[in-house]
């Protein structure tokens, strides 16, 4: 059994001891709510489950964290493990605590979901990116630390090893990444004991033998260091320790040496008043004892990536014993022990160093100067990942995308074929449109159909370069194929108008005359009207196009069949008349443009400028089109609902609606609907005209 759980008043007193202005009521509410929510739940140790969140909160009070973070720690398992809801947390504890509890919950879900398939580095990045508020990470690290302290109570050895490996691969490096070395060392020690029990026991036994054989060598060396520095006028606080077992084992593995060959198992820390004293102390120590070459590191002038600052050196002490010495100020020490967490302490009056790496320096500046919690939250983001999101496949594979990405980007990130065939997506189990933005930590499933093809409209919401390039490539290929097919049909009409049959070499000679490289290029040029029909006739059969033909080429004998229209590609359904299958249609063919498809009675045809007319007919496999209808409604409640119901009952789909005119008695709406053909459109209009709420309906 674990020791006694922190009582409610004890936890509150701890917070008040370093932050007298803390919200006692918030902490008391959180304590009682968590106690009641977890009820009779038990941990593997047999202790009430409630003991875990309270111990996590206790760990964070040692870091002097604010009342909202402590409340989050108390509540961090309530949404996942009890019947409590996010709305309850929001109502009782406010948006900041609710947001952090949700963040910790989401991290836990991803952690469980991806236990088998993930890359440790990717998950570390994900954890960083998830924590828009760095306090979420601190709670998660404290949660993992307490779970490691109680790991031995879990009866299943495979589960213990999995948790220990996850801690070693993910959470200990993450703690190091944000400078929380004490968390890192304890996690590594506990995980090492589970993963390599024989090695851990052997190293602990050797360390115990060293203590017995050498008396209190650490205390003697520490007092000697203090005396040497004090004689030179430096008042230093010296502490010494043996390196922790995992650190020793790791060096033995890296250097391929035995414990006896490892000489620097002791480390000492000198805390001095100022940065200048750090360098003075270093000089004094190097004059007194020989330095080990290659073991000096200046992390004050060049801090580590996580902001860690200190001087490191190793010297040969008495009896040829190598000892490591770290020299730093008290402020550097606080940052080294607790990393970013040190900056959340409420009593931070010292001047901040300017040598920290940029993202930590920016964080510290905001923490010191923020006027409100909102401003604080807005800026406490991990800058290196603020423009990235991390989403997961249903199998747990992690996909990194830019912020603003949609399921189309996600699909193309997985595979081009999946992107090409995407028809929709599920985000966290809910069906959403492809234009929906993905959030951090979302699970995304792409819905696909072999009948689907990339649409031109996808370019409006595809965010990544990979997705946009794939869509454009497909559209270019489709446009090329359709354009060449259209050109082939027009070419056949041109050949039909020639006075005689073509010779076998006619096309080859025509390509030379028109300066084209291949037959496909000729078909595309014909479709895009880079040459007039007469020019093509002359190239194929010189003299076949007389002066009259050059002015007015003969009419087509057969209409060109168009199938499976793709607006904006080879054919473009004109916006002015919106033709649908069943309408009599004609095409306008202009230089360097696809054919515009119009109804035969479209007013635009009156002014056809220099366009060639192409006689068109609907193909057997045409897949419908969008028609526009004008509906005049009575100005009464529910009228528009009646219209939408009728359109739905007729199996048509509304894609756009615009209020065109409004007066006291009637409203006029322009409605775009998807229909199969002209008969389908007429059935919709007839059904609308029969409704009492509709004063009139007609095709616009």
């Amino acid at each position: 059994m674990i020791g006694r759980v922190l009582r409610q008043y004890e936890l509150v007193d701890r917070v008040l001891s370093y932050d007298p202005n803390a919200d006692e009521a918030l902490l008391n509410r959180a304590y009682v709510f968590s106690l009641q929510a977890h009820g009779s739940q038990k941990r593997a140790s047999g202790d009430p489950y409630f003991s875990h969140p309270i111990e996590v909160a206790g760990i964070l009070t040692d870091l002097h964290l604010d009342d909202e973070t402590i409340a989050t720690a108390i509540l961090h398992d309530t949404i996942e493990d009890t019947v409590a809801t996010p709305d309850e947390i929001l109502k009782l504890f406010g948006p900041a605590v609710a947001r952090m509890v949700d963040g910790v919950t989401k991290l836990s879900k991803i952690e469980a979901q991806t236990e088998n398939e993930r890359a440790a580095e990717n998950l570390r990045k994900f954890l960083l990116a998830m924590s828009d508020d760095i306090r979420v990470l601190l709670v998660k690290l404290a949660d993992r630390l307490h779970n490691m302290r109680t790991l031995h109570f879990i009866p299943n050895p495979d589960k213990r090893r999995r948790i220990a490996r996850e801690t070693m691969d993910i959470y200990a490096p993450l703690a190091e990444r944000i400078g929380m070395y004490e968390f890192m060392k304890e996690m590594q020690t506990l995980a090492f004991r589970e993963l390599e029990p024989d090695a851990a026991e052997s190293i602990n036994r050797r360390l115990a033998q060293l203590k017995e054989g050498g008396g209190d060598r650490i205390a003697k060396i520490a007092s000697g260091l203090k005396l040497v520095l004090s004689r030179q006028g430096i008042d230093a606080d010296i502490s010494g320790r043996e390196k922790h077992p995992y650190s020793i084992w790791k060096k033995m593995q890296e250097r391929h040496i035995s414990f006896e060959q490892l000489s620097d198992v002791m480390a000492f820390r000198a805390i001095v008043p100022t940065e200048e004293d750090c360098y003075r102390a270093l000089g004094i120590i190097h004059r007194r004892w020989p330095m080990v070459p290659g073991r000096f590191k200046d992390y004050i002038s060049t801090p580590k990536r996580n902001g860690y600052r200190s001087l490191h050196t190793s010297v040969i002490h008495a009896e040829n014993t190598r000892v490591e010495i770290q020299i730093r100020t008290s402020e550097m020490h606080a940052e080294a022990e607790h990393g970013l967490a040190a900056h959340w302490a409420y009593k931070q009056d010292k001047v901040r160093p300017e040598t920290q790496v940029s993202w930590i320096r920016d964080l510290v500046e905001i923490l010191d100067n923020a006027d409100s919690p909102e401003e604080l939250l807005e800026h406490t983001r991990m800058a290196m990942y603020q423009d990235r999101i991390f989403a997961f496949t249903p199998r747990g594979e992690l996909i990194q995308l830019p912020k603003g990405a949609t399921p189309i980007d996600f699909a193309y990130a997985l595979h081009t074929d999946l992107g090409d065939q995407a028809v929709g997506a599920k985000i966290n189990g809910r069906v959403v449109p492809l234009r929906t933005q993905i959030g951090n930590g979302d699970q995304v499933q792409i819905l696909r159909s072999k009948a689907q093809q990339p649409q031109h409209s996808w370019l409006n919401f595809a965010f990544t370069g990979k997705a946009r390039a794939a869509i454009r490539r497909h559209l270019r290929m489709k446009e090329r194929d359709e354009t060449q097919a259209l050109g082939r049909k027009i070419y056949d009409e041109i050949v039909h108008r020639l006075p005689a049959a073509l010779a076998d070499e006619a096309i080859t000679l025509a390509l030379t005359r028109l300066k084209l490289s291949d037959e496909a290029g000729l078909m595309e040029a014909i479709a895009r009207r880079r040459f007039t029909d007469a020019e093509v006739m002359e190239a194929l059969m010189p003299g076949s196009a007389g002066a009259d033909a050059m002015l007015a080429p003969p009419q087509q004998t057969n209409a060109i069949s168009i199938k499976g229209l793709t607006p904006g590609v080879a054919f473009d359904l004109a916006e002015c008349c919106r033709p649908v299958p069943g309408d009599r249609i004609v095409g306008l063919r202009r230089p360097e443009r696809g054919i515009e498809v119009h109804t035969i009675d479209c007013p635009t045809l009156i002014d056809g400028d220099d366009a060639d007319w192409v006689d068109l007919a609907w193909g057997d496999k045409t897949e419908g089109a969008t028609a526009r209808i004008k509906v005049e409604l009575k100005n009464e409640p529910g009228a528009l609902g009646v219209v939408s119901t009728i359109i739905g009952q007729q199996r048509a789909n509304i894609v756009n609606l615009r209020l065109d005119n409004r007066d006291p008695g009637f409203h006029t709406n322009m409605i775009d609907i998807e229909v199969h053909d002209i008969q389908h459109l007429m059935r919709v209009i007839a059904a609308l005209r029969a409704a009492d709420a509709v004063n009139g309906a007609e095709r616009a």
Side-chain angles (χ1 to χ4, degrees):
M1 298 283 285
I2 304 175
R4 184 177 65 84
V5 179
L6 271 173
R7 296 181 184 274
Q8 184 173 340
Y9 74 88
E10 292 174 326
L11 183 64
V12 174
D13 285 348
R14 279 197 187 189
V15 179
L16 292 175
S17 67
Y18 60 80
D19 179 20
N21 298 318
D23 188 342
E24 292 183 59
L26 174 70
L27 298 172
N28 285 322
R29 282 200 310 277
Y31 195 103
V32 173
F33 183 89
S34 184
L35 177 62
Q36 293 174 343
H38 287 292
S40 59
Q41 292 176 345
K42 299 286 186 183
R43 284 175 64 80
S45 63
D47 285 304
Y49 192 95
F50 171 71
S51 65
H52 167 67
I54 295 305
E55 289 302 314
V56 172
I59 291 171
L60 295 175
T61 60
D62 292 337
L63 302 180
H64 290 191
L65 295 187
D66 63 304
D67 47 17
E68 289 180 343
T69 311
I70 303 304
T72 300
I74 298 170
L75 300 165
H76 79 269
D77 276 335
T78 53
I79 293 179
E80 188 175 13
D81 295 331
T82 77
V83 296
T85 66
D87 287 341
E88 284 183 272
I89 302 296
L90 176 62
K91 182 178 179 181
L92 291 171
F93 305 102
V97 172
R99 185 168 46 243
M100 286 193 283
V101 171
D102 177 66
V104 178
T105 303
K106 188 174 280 189
L107 292 183
S108 299
K109 287 181 179 178
I110 296 300
E111 172 186 89
Q113 167 190 316
T114 61
E115 66 181 44
N116 294 322
E117 296 186 41
R118 62 154 175 260
E121 181 59 28
N122 275 347
L123 188 56
R124 281 200 295 273
K125 289 179 181 177
F126 167 72
L127 290 168
L128 284 170
M130 275 293 298
S131 296
D132 285 349
D133 188 335
I134 194 67
R135 294 174 293 178
V136 173
L137 267 182
L138 302 180
V139 174
K140 188 61 190 173
L141 288 174
D143 169 57
R144 176 49 61 113
L145 179 59
H146 184 255
N147 282 333
M148 288 303 298
R149 289 175 179 175
T150 57
L151 183 66
H152 56 285
F153 288 112
I154 295 177
N156 185 333
D158 290 337
K159 185 175 181 181
R160 288 200 308 271
R161 288 184 62 82
R162 178 186 66 76
I163 294 172
R165 172 53 58 196
E166 186 176 67
T167 301
M168 192 70 87
D169 289 345
I170 307 297
Y171 291 96
L174 180 60
E176 179 185 27
R177 176 67 185 82
I178 61 173
M180 299 179 69
Y181 286 97
E182 288 303 305
F183 273 42
M184 177 199 74
K185 285 187 287 189
E186 186 174 354
M187 285 181 185
Q188 287 178 338
T189 298
L190 295 169
F192 177 54
R193 189 170 65 190
E194 182 63 42
L195 296 171
E196 301 286 347
D198 294 339
E201 183 182 354
S202 173
I203 291 173
N204 281 322
R205 188 169 59 250
R206 301 288 182 86
L207 290 173
Q209 290 170 354
L210 276 180
K211 287 181 182 177
E212 293 172 3
D216 198 352
R217 286 198 303 166
I218 290 178
K220 291 177 182 176
I221 294 174
S223 61
L225 271 172
K226 185 174 180 66
L227 182 61
V228 167
L229 293 175
S230 63
R231 284 175 177 170
Q232 300 297 322
I234 296 179
D235 181 21
D237 181 13
I238 308 292
S239 60
R241 58 173 177 80
E242 290 154 344
K243 293 187 175 178
H244 64 288
Y246 174 70
S247 174
I248 293 173
W249 181 79
K250 190 176 178 183
K251 286 186 177 179
M252 290 167 57
Q253 297 297 308
E254 289 172 351
R255 301 178 191 176
H256 304 288
I257 57 176
S258 66
F259 183 88
E260 288 73 21
Q261 294 172 297
L262 191 68
S263 52
D264 52 342
V265 296
M266 290 181 289
F268 295 85
R269 183 176 299 127
I271 309 297
V272 298
T274 66
E275 186 176 306
E276 183 182 350
D277 289 333
C278 292
Y279 290 100
R280 285 184 57 217
L282 177 71
I284 293 167
I285 290 168
H286 281 181
R287 285 197 300 271
R288 177 63 181 81
W289 294 287
M291 182 192 81
V292 178
R295 300 287 293 165
F296 167 63
K297 296 287 190 300
D298 184 351
Y299 295 121
I300 293 179
S301 66
T302 310
K304 286 187 178 182
R305 194 176 169 205
N306 57 21
Y308 173 86
R309 297 179 303 142
S310 184
L311 297 178
H312 288 199
T313 189
S314 291
V315 298
I316 307 296
H317 203 267
E319 303 173 3
N320 287 328
T321 301
R322 290 206 308 182
V323 296
E324 180 183 302
I325 303 172
Q326 300 170 358
I327 309 167
R328 61 181 71 146
T329 66
S330 56
E331 183 181 359
M332 294 176 195
H333 180 59
E335 292 170 357
E337 294 299 287
H338 301 308
L340 283 180
H343 304 305
W344 284 92
Y346 267 68
K347 301 297 183 183
Q348 294 289 330
D349 299 325
K350 296 181 181 179
V351 176
R352 296 297 182 193
E354 289 301 320
T355 53
Q356 291 173 312
V357 290
S358 60
W359 64 275
I360 290 186
R361 185 174 63 243
D362 293 344
L363 273 181
V364 173
E365 183 179 343
I366 294 297
L367 291 169
D368 284 344
N369 300 317
D371 294 328
S372 66
E374 290 74 20
E375 182 182 347
L376 195 66
L377 182 64
E378 175 64 26
H379 295 285
T380 53
R381 300 180 185 278
M382 303 300 284
M384 62 178 60
Y385 295 116
Q386 67 181 0
D387 295 325
R388 310 297 293 171
I389 61 167
F390 293 79
F392 290 80
T393 68
R395 289 185 174 183
E397 182 184 354
L398 182 141
I399 304 297
Q400 185 179 163
L401 295 165
K403 187 176 290 185
T406 63
I408 277 294
D409 302 299
F410 186 91
Y412 278 109
L414 288 172
H415 198 280
T416 301
D417 289 346
L418 182 61
D420 288 347
Q421 297 172 7
V423 293
K426 286 185 178 179
I427 294 182
N428 301 325
R430 186 170 62 89
V431 177
V432 298
L434 288 174
R435 62 174 61 250
T436 307
Q437 284 196 10
I438 299 172
N440 229 338
D442 283 345
Q443 183 193 78
V444 183
Q445 178 184 353
I446 301 300
L447 308 177
R448 66 193 299 183
S449 168
K450 289 184 179 179
Q452 176 68 299
Q453 293 183 345
Q455 306 297 308
H456 194 275
S457 61
W458 289 2
L459 292 172
N460 295 328
F461 51 83
F463 200 81
T464 61
K466 180 177 181 180
R468 296 179 67 83
I471 295 166
R472 286 195 181 104
R473 182 170 59 252
H474 183 94
L475 292 177
R476 279 197 305 270
M477 291 175 63
K478 183 175 177 63
E479 181 177 9
R480 184 194 64 197
D481 293 344
E482 290 189 3
T483 302
Q484 289 176 8
L486 172 63
R488 171 67 66 180
K489 292 177 179 179
I490 298 174
Y491 170 81
D492 291 341
E493 283 292 328
I494 292 173
V495 170
H496 186 78
R497 303 203 307 258
L498 290 172
L502 281 178
D504 292 340
E505 68 276 8
I507 290 184
T508 303
L509 294 172
L511 293 176
T512 302
R513 293 173 184 133
L514 295 174
K515 299 180 181 179
L516 295 172
S517 59
D518 55 26
E519 194 170 328
L522 173 61
M523 301 311 158
E524 186 171 347
I526 292 172
R528 294 191 176 278
R529 203 191 155 199
R530 290 174 187 156
F531 306 107
T532 65
D533 292 0
E535 288 171 333
V536 175
M537 292 172 70
E538 277 296 307
L540 289 169
M541 186 177 292
S544 61
D548 294 339
M550 295 287 279
L551 295 173
Q555 293 297 309
Q556 296 167 235
T557 57
N558 295 306
I560 293 174
S561 174
I562 57 177
K563 302 177 181 180
L565 292 178
T566 305
V569 185
F571 297 95
D572 189 2
L573 296 177
E575 290 284 329
C576 50
C577 55
R578 294 180 176 269
V580 298
D583 283 327
R584 288 186 59 198
I585 52 176
V586 68
L588 292 185
R589 179 165 148 254
R590 294 185 174 91
E592 296 300 335
R593 288 169 60 178
I595 285 185
E596 292 178 8
V597 181
H598 295 261
T599 60
I600 197 68
D601 55 354
C602 177
T604 304
L605 299 179
I606 298 172
D607 181 21
D609 50 57
D610 65 341
D612 283 347
W613 283 38
V614 181
D615 192 16
L616 301 176
W618 299 100
D620 296 335
K621 297 182 180 179
T622 303
E623 299 169 354
T626 301
R628 177 166 294 171
I629 57 176
K630 179 179 180 181
V631 182
E632 191 174 82
L633 295 174
K634 293 179 181 178
N635 187 6
E636 60 184 33
L640 191 57
V642 170
V643 169
S644 61
T645 300
I646 291 172
I647 292 173
Q649 289 172 342
Q650 294 297 319
R651 298 291 186 267
N653 183 44
I654 298 175
V655 294
N656 194 24
L657 185 149
R658 186 185 79 234
L659 180 62
D660 199 51
N661 188 38
R662 178 175 183 171
D663 60 43
F666 299 94
H667 291 177
T668 301
N669 294 276
M670 292 294 185
I671 306 176
D672 293 345
I673 57 173
E674 291 177 337
V675 293
H676 299 303
D677 51 31
I678 189 65
Q679 289 79 16
H680 187 194
L681 175 60
M682 290 301 104
R683 287 198 303 272
V684 173
I685 292 175
L688 288 171
R689 288 172 176 169
D692 184 58
V694 177
N695 189 57
E698 60 184 3
R699 188 173 180 183

